[in-house]
Amino acid sequence: MKKVIIAAGTGFLGKVLIEYLKPKSETIIILTRGKSKIENNVKFVNWDAKTIGNWKNELDNADVLINMTGKSVDCRYNKKNKDLILSSRIESTAILGKAIKECHNPPKVWLNSSTATIYRHSLDKEMDEIHGEIGTGFSVNVATSWENTFFEQQTPKTRKVALRTSIVLGKNGGALQPIVNLTKIGFGGKQGHGNQKLSWIHETDFARSLEFIINNQKITGVINIVSPKPTTNQAFMRILRKLMKIPFGISLSKPILEFGARLIKTETELILKSRNVVPKKLQDHGFVFLYPNLKTALNDLAH
């Protein structure tokens, strides 16, 4: 690829993508609220994610635009944070759509972040892109509004794909390190009932799956970015303890988790919702996972 644009590429997933795509791309443009600068073949360009500015010129002649903009959901769901979670996603998506319309030669494909949380809490049914059932509540409303805004953008020359990503397991960020830290101090048991499903993907397969989508022009619409086999919270913690050679783990009940979540200013939904999501579309198009097995993935990452 000659030119890749990543909106909000300075977070955990953005850094994963940069490291993966750097050797495969001539230029990577990062749209950031930080300072404009150049580091080798990575160019950082300032934007506010709300209004059109000189940054829009970078979109011309791009092979791909990847939008990862959005306030972290790892916070308390008070009114202020709820408003920021929603507006940061809607405004950035809408302004990118406007910028694409003004391009002489717009990006060939636009990948926009979404979330596997859009599906309902499910202990029984696996949710794919065709038969998956949309849930209810604040997080689902954010996801549906985000996707609606994305697909409302009129971009006839740009293929659009919404990435319904679940938990990305990585070495230098994301959800795994806090769980490893809890396990080290003895709290590596199940959380809540422990039967809630956990859909996950290794950071390398996350980056590889996006590259696969970019190169496969037949893929459009929504797509689940998850590994083939959801696990359960209890099984995940058991495998992690075994790999870390920690013989026991204290379980944390829902009331204790809710108390702890208030202390560290987050929400229990992040660990108690059952995300039973499968990558039907990816596999139907022939994507092959390097890390389809949780034990292999954790063994690579936890050490």
Side-chain angles (χ1 to χ4, degrees):
M1 287 177 283
K2 289 185 178 180
K3 190 177 183 182
V4 175
I5 312 287
I6 305 177
T10 56
F12 162 54
L13 292 182
K15 290 175 181 176
V16 169
L17 283 177
I18 290 170
E19 288 306 307
Y20 182 80
L21 293 174
K22 257 198 305 190
K24 301 169 180 282
S25 311
E26 287 186 14
T27 306
I28 297 177
I29 310 292
I30 307 298
L31 301 183
T32 173
R33 289 186 174 89
K35 292 181 180 180
S36 297
K37 59 182 179 178
I38 297 175
E39 295 178 357
N40 298 317
N41 66 330
V42 182
K43 179 181 178 183
F44 295 81
V45 177
N46 179 262
W47 80 322
D48 65 1
K50 295 179 182 179
T51 55
I52 290 288
N54 290 334
W55 59 265
K56 75 166 187 174
N57 299 325
E58 303 291 349
L59 271 60
D60 256 314
N61 301 307
D63 293 293
V64 57
L65 164 63
I66 304 171
N67 178 29
M68 311 187 76
T69 312
K71 174 179 168 54
S72 171
V73 295
D74 187 9
C75 61
R76 294 298 289 175
Y77 290 171
N78 54 43
K79 186 180 186 305
K80 180 182 177 181
N81 285 338
K82 280 184 174 182
D83 289 346
L84 285 171
I85 287 169
L86 179 61
S87 64
S88 61
R89 287 158 172 76
I90 300 302
E91 290 174 354
S92 60
T93 301
I95 202 65
L96 285 170
K98 183 178 179 182
I100 287 173
K101 281 187 223 175
E102 297 183 13
C103 286
H104 297 294
N105 188 19
K108 296 180 179 67
V109 57
W110 176 8
L111 309 186
N112 210 69
S113 291
S114 182
T115 172
T117 301
I118 198 168
Y119 299 110
R120 69 166 173 84
H121 176 97
S122 175
L123 297 172
D124 54 343
K125 178 179 177 178
E126 291 186 338
M127 302 292 173
D128 63 32
E129 298 89 345
I130 299 170
H131 302 106
E133 299 169 12
I134 304 302
T136 57
F138 168 69
S139 296
V140 173
N141 291 339
V142 169
T144 53
S145 299
W146 198 4
E147 288 188 4
N148 288 340
T149 300
F150 176 53
F151 289 115
E152 283 168 3
Q153 304 307 308
Q154 300 300 310
T155 59
K157 295 181 180 179
T158 301
R159 175 168 56 97
K160 297 203 294 288
V161 183
L163 310 170
R164 290 180 175 176
T165 308
S166 192
I167 294 172
V168 180
L169 302 177
K171 292 180 181 178
N172 299 312
L176 182 59
Q177 197 56 52
I179 297 173
V180 167
N181 292 339
L182 276 175
T183 305
K184 284 179 180 176
I185 61 173
F187 291 99
K190 66 182 181 180
Q191 285 120 26
H193 291 298
N195 64 341
Q196 65 269 31
K197 295 287 186 176
L198 191 156
S199 291
W200 58 276
I201 188 168
H202 187 288
E203 60 183 357
T204 300
D205 277 335
F206 169 77
R208 290 179 63 249
S209 66
L210 267 60
E211 180 187 32
F212 181 81
I213 293 165
I214 292 165
N215 292 330
N216 193 323
Q217 296 183 9
K218 294 181 180 179
I219 298 176
T220 60
V222 300
I223 190 164
N224 295 339
I225 308 297
V226 296
S227 62
K229 295 181 180 178
T231 186
T232 63
N233 172 268
Q234 187 170 22
F236 181 94
M237 298 309 298
R238 183 175 64 247
I239 292 169
L240 185 60
R241 287 197 311 272
K242 187 173 181 181
L243 288 172
M244 294 176 65
K245 298 181 180 179
I246 294 177
F248 70 92
I250 298 170
S251 296
L252 299 173
S253 66
K254 184 178 179 181
I256 292 174
L257 288 169
E258 288 175 345
F259 175 73
R262 284 194 295 272
L263 286 180
I264 63 173
K265 298 181 179 180
T266 189
E267 293 286 339
T268 57
E269 179 191 41
L270 300 176
I271 53 175
L272 293 181
K273 180 170 181 177
S274 187
R275 295 170 176 82
N276 195 1
V277 185
V278 292
K280 176 176 171 55
K281 208 165 177 179
L282 270 177
Q283 291 187 303
D284 284 353
H285 282 87
F287 182 74
V288 178
F289 289 82
L290 285 181
Y291 297 94
N293 177 273
L294 179 61
K295 184 176 180 180
T296 306
L298 286 177
N299 189 53
D300 176 69
L301 297 168
H303 292 93

